[in-house]
Amino acid sequence: MAKKYGITALLLFGVYALLMYVYIFHSNGGGIPESLKGTVADPQVFMSEQELYLSEEYSKIKNFLFFVATPFEWLVYIFVLTTGLSQAFEKWNPFRNKWGIVQNGVYLFLLSLFIFIVFFPLDYYRYSLGKSYGISTQVFASWMRDNVIGFWIDFAMTVVIVSVLYWLIKKSPKKWWLIAWLLMIPYSIFLMFIQPVVIDPLYNDFYPLTNKELETKILTLAEQANIPTEHVYEVNMAEKTNALNAYVTGIGSNSRIVLWDTTLNRLSENEILFIMAHEMGHYVEKHIYFGIAEYILTMFLGLWLTAKIMPWIVDRFGRSLKIKQINAIHSLPLFLLITSFLLFASSPLSNYISRYQETRADQYAIELVTDPSAAVSTFQELTRAGLNEVNPPFLVKWFRYSHPTMLERINKVANEIKSKE
């Protein structure tokens, strides 16, 4: 029976991958509306023929990989369960009679290492893809270092979360999800607080902005927006990418305004000020706190649904999945499969909310810096630097885009300019 389910899952994945390939590579999705051709929103106006070709090709490959990678992850979880590998990881544990967190740590290390190895070829292909299209500038040793750091950070956090989670499932089979949700709220806020000063510096070097004249202008904007900050930070991303970015991170006293050095090197002062005003717009609109509220609500619904779905699956398919009981840690791949599916299914809604917030931040930035032309040139340069498609197909936009499309952003600013003429 397990073999039958495995073959069925594999066939379904194959059909899905084929359909997504046809949709992304051979459909007529996206494109530029006739009414916008020749305008500042048309990539043919601000991109070379080579850039247009690379952008279209690169975007299609990235989009296809995105839509295939997540279902492939589900397939891996099913494989780990139906082959008995998850049970084997639990049985191979040399600390079976020791502390629960040590036992869980050994199991999670084996599972995490297996998944890391399985996904390494795909991750490496993505890395090579970025290098071949001139987006990534990172050498292999640096990329591998980031992967190893990420592995151990994820492992450490997962050991804590999973140990508490399965202890709760054993102690309170019906209410575990609610208690877990209540505990995850302060834990998540704590991680957001330490992210800028503990986790982020493990990957990159952060230091106060060296251009003090620019920093003064940015801080002046921050003062206008009533943002309490004394420094703007820059981060050395040029050794890893040619893409551009800036962001506001952290909460409370650990809040930081951060600029990539690629952004500083490639954009003009007015364009940088526009980007900073956009990030400040998120602060003024309190999007960080709305994001926390959204995360808490999503976590509540996700854990509740998982608590309902998981027992039903174990009752019906437990023998095929080789799960003896839900509170045994070898059931974890099923938990991960369900939560991954729920996150994927909810991404259109979360992306829609994010796009609305990004639109609000754009509008705030346009009003704050009063230089719409800088906004247009900024969006154009962001498109060229990242080889982004300005108007992706429908499914790509809804499942991948947390920001409005560049076509929408540039056209909105262009309309603002027209209305003021």
Side-chain angles (χ1 to χ4, degrees), residues 360-371:
R360 294 283 299 175
D362 280 350
Q363 187 61 43
Y364 177 86
I366 292 168
E367 294 171 359
L368 185 64
V369 300
T370 62
D371 186 3

Side-chain angles (χ1 to χ4, degrees), residues 192 248-251 255 282-283 286-293:
M192 291 177 190
V248 175
T249 185
I251 55 175
S255 296
H282 286 303
Y283 180 91
K286 304 192 186 308
H287 291 161
I288 293 174
Y289 299 103
F290 281 117
I292 292 172

Side-chain angles (χ1 to χ4, degrees), residues 217-262:
K217 292 181 180 181
I218 293 173
L219 292 176
T220 300
L221 283 180
E223 187 177 354
Q224 288 179 249
N226 296 316
I227 298 176
T229 185
E230 297 179 358
H231 296 288
V232 178
Y233 291 85
E234 63 178 283
V235 55
N236 60 328
M237 291 299 295
E239 62 186 31
K240 295 184 178 181
T241 182
N242 283 318
L244 313 178
N245 197 16
Y247 57 90
V248 175
T249 185
I251 55 175
S253 59
N254 281 351
S255 296
R256 281 186 173 183
I257 298 174
V258 180
L259 272 165
W260 286 12
D261 57 355
T262 52

Side-chain angles (χ1 to χ4, degrees), residues 109-142:
F109 176 76
L110 294 171
L111 179 64
S112 300
L113 183 61
F114 175 79
I115 292 174
F116 180 87
I117 293 170
V118 168
F119 276 90
F120 185 81
L122 180 60
D123 293 335
Y124 180 75
Y125 177 72
R126 284 172 166 161
Y127 161 73
S128 301
L129 189 69
K131 291 277 285 187
S132 63
Y133 280 89
I135 305 300
S136 173
T137 59
Q138 191 172 21
V139 298
F140 177 79
S142 172

Side-chain angles (χ1 to χ4, degrees), residues 217-410:
K217 292 181 180 181
I218 293 173
L219 292 176
T220 300
L221 283 180
E223 187 177 354
Q224 288 179 249
N226 296 316
I227 298 176
T229 185
E230 297 179 358
H231 296 288
V232 178
Y233 291 85
E234 63 178 283
V235 55
N236 60 328
M237 291 299 295
E239 62 186 31
K240 295 184 178 181
T241 182
N242 283 318
L244 313 178
N245 197 16
Y247 57 90
V248 175
T249 185
I251 55 175
S253 59
N254 281 351
S255 296
R256 281 186 173 183
I257 298 174
V258 180
L259 272 165
W260 286 12
D261 57 355
T262 52
T263 305
L264 290 166
N265 296 337
R266 191 157 173 172
L267 297 185
S268 69
E269 185 176 280
N270 284 345
E271 290 168 341
I272 292 171
L273 290 175
F274 172 78
I275 286 181
M276 286 290 91
H278 170 93
E279 297 304 328
M280 292 172 191
H282 286 303
Y283 180 91
V284 172
E285 296 275 341
K286 304 192 186 308
H287 291 161
I288 293 174
Y289 299 103
F290 281 117
I292 292 172
E294 179 191 346
Y295 176 75
I296 291 172
L297 178 60
T298 300
M299 200 161 42
F300 177 87
L301 293 173
L303 287 170
W304 176 73
L305 286 171
T306 302
K308 298 295 182 183
I309 296 170
M310 199 167 171
W312 179 82
I313 292 178
V314 171
D315 287 343
R316 188 164 182 178
F317 306 105
R319 179 177 294 182
S320 299
L321 297 175
K322 294 181 172 56
I323 297 176
K324 294 180 179 179
Q325 50 192 9
I326 292 177
N327 61 14
I329 197 168
H330 65 255
S331 70
L332 179 63
L334 177 60
F335 179 91
L336 296 175
L337 189 156
I338 294 169
T339 53
S340 176
F341 176 82
L342 292 175
L343 283 172
F344 184 77
S346 65
S347 58
L349 177 59
S350 59
N351 284 338
Y352 175 82
I353 295 171
S354 177
R355 287 195 299 271
Y356 171 77
Q357 293 177 340
E358 295 295 336
T359 300
R360 294 283 299 175
D362 280 350
Q363 187 61 43
Y364 177 86
I366 292 168
E367 294 171 359
L368 185 64
V369 300
T370 62
D371 186 3
S373 61
V376 171
S377 58
T378 299
F379 292 143
Q380 290 175 339
E381 196 60 34
L382 286 170
T383 303
R384 294 176 65 234
L387 293 180
N388 299 314
E389 55 185 340
V390 298
N391 191 32
F394 176 80
L395 289 179
V396 173
K397 175 182 175 180
W398 281 85
F399 278 90
R400 289 207 66 193
Y401 275 53
S402 59
H403 289 61
T405 67
M406 284 302 182
L407 185 76
E408 294 169 332
R409 300 177 88 174
I410 297 173

Side-chain angles (χ1 to χ4, degrees), residues 168-182:
L168 289 173
I169 293 175
K170 289 177 182 177
K171 295 296 181 181
S172 182
K174 293 185 177 180
K175 298 291 184 181
W176 66 265
W177 65 272
L178 181 59
I179 303 170
W181 174 70
L182 291 172

